[in-house]
Amino acid sequence: MSVSEDLIDFEIIENQKENIQSLPGGRSARTLANLFSPSPLLPKLSTPTPSDTKNLNDAIRKEYETELVNINESDDPLDIYDRYVKWTLDAYPSAQATPASGLLPLLERATKAFRTSTQYKNDPRYLKLWLSYIRFFSDTPRETFAFLARHNIGESLALFYEEFAAWLEGAGRWTQAEEIYKLGIEREARPAPRLLRKFKEFEQRSSQRPEDANEPSSPALPTVRPALAAKVDPFAAAAPRDPQAPRPNSGVGGSTMKSGRQKLTIFSDAEDALPPVASGKDTKGWESIGSLADRKKENTMEPKPWVGETLKAGGKKSSTKMTIFKDEVSQTFSSIPSIQMLMITGLMFVGYGVLYFSLYLILNIHKLPILNSNK
């Protein structure tokens, strides 16, 4: 490879940096430069068109799906999913958590495929698939971390304890985060030096923070109660008795009800009896966390035809009716018959006419001919 081919044009990445989503492990600058570089077939375009990018991604996706069809013949089945997820994150830098990338169903398939595999329970690649699922799509990260712990996924990896403790620290659960760090050190998770360094850094941050009285004090990993894991027969402790023997409460002086029926016997556990310890197989909880669509199905409505459907009006009907304003003057006039109203109107016009004629005479009396003749 020549020197010119080895150089990366960072100006291309600089122009697209607002459309690139960050990853905890960072991104390859060369991959980003190749992704946003113009196509050799269309050198006039500054960046590839969306249709060209989609066609290229569909072709590469089809190759990975072909590998998954023959995954049973692979020496390392996890490697196919690992490369498939990495390619998806690189191919969709600005839409990695959208339906266009298909990352959600891919991670759900990958995590479900090896959940019971003892070969990959402590494989860093498999744990990173779970961490990507938690980071992008998990609606309950703490429950997902607890699910991994119950199924011993990442039990001997320091990465599991570091990521779980970091999430608890970010949620303000410092006591639980310390518990997780100590649990990983106790189990000698590898690499141990890195886990110890992370724990010391956590202790320094914890010593500088103010005390919080409202911090949860519950354990970081909830345990399954033995009462739910094992079924105990409440009648097993009762001693067998002779059915022919007389009952202690029957006969003369016995405490029986007036109806002749014996009182209900209440069974109780012995004080010194301890509940049986549940085995490890019974404390794993759920066998699967399901998909994100299954967990949210109660919040979605199934589509159905609108034919024959009625829309319910919102709100409750008020028992009190709205008061309508009524004018008293209008009520008075409305009670008078129509003929009388016409007479009243006519008299009003006659009165206005007489008044006007009187004013006219007063103002023009000196102009009358009778008065001029007397002079």
Side-chain angles (χ1 to χ4, degrees), residues 158-159 161-162 181-205:
L159 180 62
Y161 304 96
E162 293 168 359
Y181 274 118
K182 292 181 178 180
L183 180 63
I185 296 173
E186 179 183 353
R187 293 178 177 177
E188 298 180 354
R190 64 180 191 275
R194 190 185 70 190
L195 183 60
L196 290 173
R197 177 175 57 83
K198 294 280 188 179
F199 181 53
K200 291 180 180 179
E201 295 174 355
F202 167 79
E203 287 182 328
Q204 293 177 359
R205 294 191 300 270

Side-chain angles (χ1 to χ4, degrees), residues 11 15 62 93 102 104 125 182 250 275 294 322 369:
E11 185 177 355
N15 296 332
K62 187 176 180 180
L104 174 59
R125 298 173 299 172
K182 292 181 178 180
S250 63
D294 293 338
M322 184 176 62

